[in-house]
Amino acid sequence: MNQVVGKHEKSDEIPKQGKQVKEKKIKSKPGNELSSNSVTSEQAANKLKEKELRKLEWEKKLAEQKLKNDKENLSKAELKNKRREQQEAQRQAKVEKEKITEKAKSQKPEEKNNDIRKSPQKITEVKKTKTLKCVQFVQHLYRESNQNFISNTVNPKDIHPVFIKLGVQYAERVILGSNARCLALLAAIQNLINDLQTPPKHEYCRYMESVLQCCTNYLQECRPFAVSMTNALRYFKLQLTHMDKSLTDNEKRARLLDVIDLYINNDIKRAWDAICMKVNDKIFTNDVILIFGCSSLLYRILIDANKSGKKFSVIVVDSRPLLEGREMLRKLVSAKINCTYVLINALSFVMKQATKVLLGAHALLANGSVMSRIGTAQVALVAQACNKPVLVCCETYKFTERVQTDSFVYNEIGDSNILLSVDTLSTTSPLVPLKDNPKLNILNLLYDVTPPDLVTAVITELAILPCTSVPVVLRINAKENM
Amino acid sequence: MKQTDDLSDVIKLISDIKHKNIQSSHDVAIRTEKMLDNIISQGKWDSALELMELIKQRIKCFSQSLPDEPTASNIMKHILKVIRTECQSMSKKTGDTHSLHQIVTGDATHELDYSETVSNLKSVLLGYLSEYKEELESSAENIAAQASEHIHSNETILTVGRSRTVERFLKSASKQRMFSVIVVEGAPSYLGHSMASALTKNNIQTTVIPDSAVFAMMSRVNKVIIGTHTVLANGGLRALSGIYVVALAAKHYSIPVMVLSHMYKLTSLYVGSNDHETFNVHASPASVIPYSSGSILNSVNIKNPVFDYVPPELVTLFITHQGGNVPSYIYRLLSEMYHPDDYDM
């Protein structure tokens, strides 16, 4: 089964099967539109879906053209070249269209489709120039080749349009934060469950697994998975393999949808509620709470505490280049919470006024280290030097078996160009003209790792724990899931 | 005593600093030296006491207008000390033998009478000043010359913001060694960008990181080399805000922190914390969050402190033109520079 899909990915030789799959997808579209209630603005989503429909139609046509090419023996070498030099794929596609087809002329939407396709390609090109220069000790973190990524974005066969959209949103940082990314992934999987039609001689869950694998591979190339996403995905796959084979497809769908809903409710949303309650007990009147960056969980906690009538103030510490704290500040101010805003350089100045430090987390590692947005370790460090308690708020679904002692083993590198633009300066940075100088590197790491001795306690939905209890929680959770 | 002094020279200096006509502390030092030269050669004074009074007035005037700018006052205080020692050595009566007993008991029987007219004091002082000027000019060079003692091949050096002394130091080291530099950009002034561009142009491998990445990067750093605004009397620093975190992270990873400083940055000031009222200066919040952010600015408290206090235990070494010194030895350098009577003004 996997083999068939593998072949299909590569080949023009079995175009029929490819067509079949695509037709199925297209057929499934209207149902998808009806059932889409999770998407934020339906109109926009529908428009996108229309575009994606057209895209798929266009792909079908391209495949037909390739068939023709083969028949007319218009050099296979050319086709291979095309696959290799994927950046030029579009241009060639255009040229081909003009040369060969009479059918294609008639339809305008193709040009629009081209525009859509250009955007992901641009992103990859930017990334490519970046990989030319790299800081040596984080060399392994730079993405090696974007060839696959490009090929997938140009020819995203077998990938559900929802995932293509999601991939672009991840890559362009439209969806940011590990909770938001995980929820978006689960919503996309739900879409896929609804739309997937089992081909003959296939079992729904097995087929689902292989399709999902393609989709997640694509997502991985857009941006590496967050720990929350990996865990959610692992859980879902476990449920897939444990699914009762005797059920009908529709029953399986319903069950899988339930599985995801249950996960979202139990492991994410109820965890938030539980953490909110626990932290609320720790916030007292006249507290000054120092937070760093913008965490969806911390926002909920602070809003909850505010609603319960406690008078407290918040110090929002922010850092470049993302400046997420401004978003947090805006939200908190609109909730009428008394706020102070500083950049991370003024940390030592404001830390003395704070009574507690609350931090969000990207993941909790098995050795007790906290992986979180870059700068978190610094906040914890200064807090410890000033004897302030550091509370890390983290749902247990973000716990991972991985161990890491420094910030380089596993990390992500962001776009270095955003470090060069400063919105509070009137002059441009003197580094802009030197951007391409081989002696100059600009490093924009996304995460750092806070050693466990800088963290007072981790607040999870289970209990308030020391960092070192991560393996215990992992063990218990694993038993429950079995 | 003649009261015709109008302090116009020091007021001019203050306004030049305030209007940023002179920015680097080295330029301030040169200007101060020139001003002192004028006072000594053309000022109306007959005795050492009167001269000292003239200079003290200027120190008071200066430190009232610019309490956070120590260079000029420090140089003037230093010259006060020189005047005292010159007088002492010229007056034959005072035996230069302070017995240990006298030092321990603080016996003040040897108080000098500075009001006597000393004939050749002027020429001696002018001679010393020209010597001092040379020392000022060669100071940065002397510091830079020590670079190869501290930077080895293939090391990674971390620095923050922009300091001309550090820049010279690194450039001097790059002539002999291959090493790479990590520059922290130093928001919200972003002087690290210009530092990085200066280093890149000198063919030094440079990496720019945001302030938030200091802790993450510190594990790969061999040495932290920074400049400072002031060296305090206890060996602590008054430095660019953000340096405290750097020093703390360095301590966490046991990485040496070296502070390059000219002697005129040594200040006889004790400050225990950075939120002390007289310690810090607040810059405009516009560089933290732009005015274009809209109405939320009305309801938010935005802080932009300029300085950080770095306690002496986080500093490994001070490098001055005389060589390296540990923070606990700063008190001794201070007493060489200034007379104890001039510490508080």
Side-chain angles (χ1 to χ4, degrees), chain B residues 150-161:
Chain B
H150 297 286
I151 297 178
H152 309 298
S153 297
N154 292 327
E155 278 197 323
T156 307
I157 310 291
L158 185 134
T159 186
V160 187

Side-chain angles (χ1 to χ4, degrees), chain A residues 137 319-320 326 333 339-341 345 348-349 352 375 377-378 406 408 422 424 429 431 434 437 439-441 443, chain B residues 185 187-188 190 193 197 200 205-208 211-212 215-216 220 241-242 244-245 274 287-288 299 301 303 308:
Chain A
F137 50 81
S319 83
R320 291 231 308 145
R326 289 187 186 168
V333 164
C339 288
T340 303
Y341 178 83
N345 64 321
S348 60
F349 185 81
K352 295 210 171 78
Q378 254 158 286
D406 69 6
F408 301 112
V422 181
T424 50
S429 162
L431 294 179
L434 295 169
N437 191 317
K439 288 283 179 188
L440 181 71
N441 288 309
L443 185 62
Chain B
E185 65 176 6
Y190 303 104
H193 286 195
S197 82
T200 309
Q205 189 69 49
T206 310
T207 307
V208 179
D211 293 48
S212 48
F215 187 87
R220 289 290 183 281
S241 72
Y244 175 68
V245 181
N274 72 341
S287 53
V288 173
S299 37
N301 197 353
K303 296 206 165 109
D308 245 354

Side-chain angles (χ1 to χ4, degrees), chain B residues 136-203:
Chain B
L136 280 183
E137 276 159 1
S138 62
S139 175
E141 216 168 283
N142 286 336
I143 293 175
Q146 300 170 49
S148 57
E149 291 170 28
H150 297 286
I151 297 178
H152 309 298
S153 297
N154 292 327
E155 278 197 323
T156 307
I157 310 291
L158 185 134
T159 186
V160 187
R162 177 165 208 191
S163 153
R164 273 158 233 269
T165 322
V166 174
E167 196 184 313
R168 275 188 86 158
F169 192 80
L170 295 175
K171 280 179 188 170
S172 147
S174 73
K175 284 171 195 154
Q176 300 166 45
R177 307 267 154 82
M178 284 289 287
F179 60 94
S180 62
V181 180
I182 296 172
V183 181
V184 182
E185 65 176 6
S189 63
Y190 303 104
L191 289 175
H193 286 195
S194 47
M195 179 78 165
S197 82
L199 294 177
T200 309
K201 283 171 188 163
N202 271 275
N203 265 335

